[in-house]
Amino acid sequence: MALQIFSPKIRQPLKFIFPSPANNGCSSVFVPCAYSPSRRLALFQLTTAITQSQLFNGKAAESLNAEGEVIESEMIAELARSNIALSDENASDWIKKDKRRMLHVVYRVGNLDKTIKFYSECLGMKLLRKRDIPEERYSNAFLGYGPEESNFAVELTYNYGVDKYDIGTGFGHFGIAIEDVAKMVDLVKAEGGKIVQEPAPSKDGGPIIALVEDPDGYNFELLERGPTLEPFRQVMLRVGDLDQSINFYKRAFGMELLRKTVDPDNKNTIAIMGYGPEDKNAVLELTYIYGVKSYDKGNGYAQIAVGTDDVYKTAEAIKLYGGKIVLEPGPLPGLNTKIMACVDPDGWKTVFVDNADFMKELE
């Protein structure tokens, strides 16, 4: 699934067609939406108020549109779900019960085949799926260390004719755990890759680590560790107010603060946030550099995708805890996968994807 959702703008109304004898079987209802000709952007930003009883009573209810014509019950349910309101207590309970996990990270590359080759031959990833969408002038590929049903993945996006991106100063690195760091570094060297930091013990005699750069300039931190079911360790992003970010990810996203490390010698503090132990799950590493309040995000890194059982309730909870919704919840045209998108206090984007719909896509 190509969740390439970048700054949607209100351009024009979306026209829905409902049956009506008065107009050769059709009538038109205009609903404001975040519109783009790309199915990756077009989502419902629904504003019609529907009662909770219409959504949950299980009947094939009939409602009227603005012109007094009947709207089908399936559309009623979709409209109703977009108007769910949660109290603070309900939101907290919902977040605790929701089955969430980090699904994949999305970013842009200048040469898809070259990057796939580097990740496969040097970093040990497997190509999970790949597709080309010529009508929208982009291709994407998913790579990782295990099936997407259970493992974290990277989604690489290539936009036709664009061979270079600005990574900016806010993105830090991706982290992977491997059994032999020195061996992987040698592979990277053999392929002409850049070694940012040679293998060496981490601070205070910790495990061997190294830092390498992929063909597009994205850094990968290599950590020497025994076999693991999830070798993809983390996505590191820099933030301007660590306490604010920790509070946001805990309350709005339901993540746990797994650990926090203060490093006055290097003038930074990091917080590891996630949905489970970091030796078994991909996690988010938030880094605060003393005195730095904002960063240039560039145009290469895009977003993280997180699974949820209900994008509508998730959106309401995020609004309740001060998050900004940049794409209202609803189904993607063509795919019918329900998603929503939001940004954190620093402007880092996250897309929430309906768990059941995501599994159907993988089938």
Side-chain angles (χ1 to χ4, degrees):
M1 174 179 54
L3 297 178
Q4 205 175 346
I5 303 162
F6 313 129
S7 302
K9 298 179 180 178
I10 301 298
R11 299 180 184 174
Q12 67 183 63
L14 177 63
K15 186 175 184 179
F16 293 101
I17 305 298
F18 298 116
S20 169
N23 187 19
N24 296 322
C26 294
S27 67
S28 302
V29 180
F30 285 90
V31 182
C33 76
Y35 174 81
S36 163
S38 169
R39 69 184 176 196
R40 294 173 288 168
L41 297 177
L43 268 180
F44 304 146
Q45 198 165 28
L46 303 170
T47 56
T48 304
I50 303 293
T51 66
Q52 293 285 333
S53 61
Q54 286 174 310
L55 176 59
F56 296 115
N57 66 8
K59 299 178 181 178
E62 290 188 348
S63 277
L64 302 179
N65 63 18
E67 282 75 31
E69 295 147 346
V70 175
I71 303 176
E72 295 179 1
S73 59
E74 184 176 347
M75 179 59 72
I76 292 172
E78 202 65 58
L79 291 168
R81 283 192 289 269
S82 71
N83 286 275
I84 294 171
L86 295 175
S87 67
D88 184 80
E89 182 178 357
N90 289 340
S92 179
D93 289 342
W94 157 248
I95 291 171
K96 290 176 183 177
K97 295 175 183 176
D98 193 17
K99 295 180 179 65
R100 297 183 180 182
R101 73 176 181 94
M102 291 170 56
L103 302 176
H104 52 255
V105 60
V106 186
Y107 51 104
R108 306 172 185 92
V109 298
N111 185 321
L112 189 59
D113 290 335
K114 183 178 180 180
T115 304
I116 290 173
K117 183 175 185 291
F118 180 85
Y119 286 13
S120 301
E121 297 182 2
C122 296
L123 302 183
M125 294 187 191
K126 296 178 181 179
L127 177 61
L128 304 172
R129 53 190 170 115
K130 179 183 178 183
R131 68 181 180 182
D132 185 44
I133 316 294
E135 65 271 20
E136 297 182 18
R137 298 185 56 77
Y138 83 96
S139 302
N140 67 4
F142 291 78
L143 296 97
Y145 294 101
E148 291 179 71
E149 290 87 347
S150 57
N151 288 70
F152 192 74
V154 297
E155 179 182 340
L156 308 176
T157 298
Y158 169 68
N159 292 298
Y160 291 6
V162 184
D163 60 7
K164 188 174 178 60
Y165 291 95
D166 174 20
I167 295 176
T169 59
F171 170 79
H173 63 255
F174 303 119
I176 57 177
I178 54 176
E179 295 183 57
D180 192 332
V181 168
K183 182 179 179 180
M184 183 168 285
V185 167
D186 288 340
L187 286 173
V188 172
K189 288 179 179 178
E191 290 294 324
K194 181 179 178 181
I195 309 302
V196 180
Q197 178 183 319
E198 291 284 349
S202 55
K203 190 176 180 180
D204 300 324
I208 302 294
I209 61 171
L211 199 65
V212 301
E213 187 176 287
D214 80 356
D216 291 274
Y218 296 100
N219 284 338
F220 279 80
E221 182 184 74
L222 313 180
L223 173 74
E224 194 158 281
R225 192 169 69 189
T228 175
L229 294 175
E230 181 52 271
F232 201 107
R233 294 173 47 236
Q234 61 186 217
V235 177
M236 192 275 258
L237 303 173
R238 299 183 176 95
V239 299
D241 185 327
L242 189 59
D243 290 335
Q244 181 185 40
S245 295
I246 290 172
N247 186 56
F248 176 80
Y249 280 97
K250 286 175 68 175
R251 300 188 72 196
F253 280 30
M255 289 186 176
E256 299 177 60
L257 174 61
L258 301 173
R259 62 184 172 93
K260 185 177 180 181
T261 304
V262 180
D263 187 356
D265 292 340
N266 291 310
K267 301 186 184 305
N268 67 65
T269 300
I270 67 168
I272 303 297
M273 311 290 298
Y275 293 110
E278 57 183 305
D279 61 334
K280 298 179 181 178
N281 301 271
V283 298
L284 182 62
E285 177 182 327
L286 304 175
T287 298
Y288 168 66
I289 298 176
Y290 296 177
V292 183
K293 295 297 183 182
S294 62
Y295 295 92
D296 172 18
K297 293 179 178 59
N299 61 2
Y301 175 87
Q303 68 238 358
I304 289 173
V306 175
T308 176
D309 286 336
D310 191 317
V311 295
Y312 301 94
K313 288 183 180 178
T314 293
E316 289 302 314
I318 288 171
K319 291 176 186 176
L320 186 64
Y321 294 127
K324 180 181 179 182
I325 305 300
V326 295
L327 194 65
E328 292 291 340
L332 280 167
L335 292 175
N336 291 322
T337 298
K338 294 181 286 295
I339 70 170
M340 56 79 58
C342 63
V343 292
D344 74 0
D346 290 272
W348 293 115
K349 186 179 293 183
T350 298
V351 173
F352 282 84
V353 184
D354 181 273
N355 284 324
D357 292 347
F358 180 68
M359 296 303 288
K360 288 178 183 176
E361 276 197 39
L362 297 181
E363 293 172 359

